[in-house]
């Protein structure tokens, strides 16, 4: 059974960086846990977290609930930036 924390990491509405998390984990598994081989994946994950953290803080300042947009809303935010 998955822990509550593990479930949260896999929940697209809670974790906006599920794809980056999974890609990093796969890279680590594929490269015998050599972090140097996965530097790009770690950077993408870090950038994802930073981006959504800034969005979350902006929404919090503006009194928008929920502070973290749901997966569908995040998709629209990203599309509007292309």
């Amino acid at each position: 059974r998955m822990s509550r924390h593990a479930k949260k990491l896999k929940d697209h509405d809670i974790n906006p960086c599920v794809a980056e998390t999974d890609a990093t984990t796969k890279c680590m598994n594929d490269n015998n846990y050599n972090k140097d081989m996965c530097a790009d994946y770690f950077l993408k994950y870090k950038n994802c977290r930073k981006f959504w953290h800034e969005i979350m803080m902006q929404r919090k300042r503006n009194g928008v609930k929920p502070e973290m947009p749901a997966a569908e809303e995040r998709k629209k935010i990203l599309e509007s930036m292309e």
Side-chain angles (χ1 to χ4, degrees), residues 19-77:
E20 290 79 1
T21 303
D22 289 348
T24 304
T25 302
K26 182 181 181 331
C27 180
M28 289 293 281
N29 289 337
D30 292 350
N31 291 287
N32 210 20
Y33 295 89
N34 179 345
K35 271 188 158 179
D36 296 336
M37 298 289 287
C38 302
D40 288 347
Y41 292 96
F42 282 107
L43 186 60
K44 284 178 187 167
Y45 173 78
K46 187 177 164 189
N47 289 339
C48 178
R49 296 296 306 172
K50 184 178 176 199
F51 175 81
W52 288 112
H53 180 75
E54 287 170 10
I55 297 273
M56 209 168 80
M57 296 313 291
Q58 185 73 48
R59 287 168 66 101
K60 192 174 188 171
R61 281 191 295 273
N62 296 339
V64 177
K65 295 279 184 193
E67 289 158 7
M68 176 55 73
E72 195 55 40
E73 190 179 348
R74 287 196 309 269
K75 189 176 162 193
K76 289 176 183 158
I77 290 170

Side-chain angles (χ1 to χ4, degrees), residues 2-16:
M2 253 199 276
S3 71
R4 196 174 320 146
H5 178 70
K7 280 184 185 156
K8 277 186 173 182
L9 287 177
K10 292 285 183 194
D11 186 331
H12 287 271
D13 283 330
I14 295 170
N15 179 4

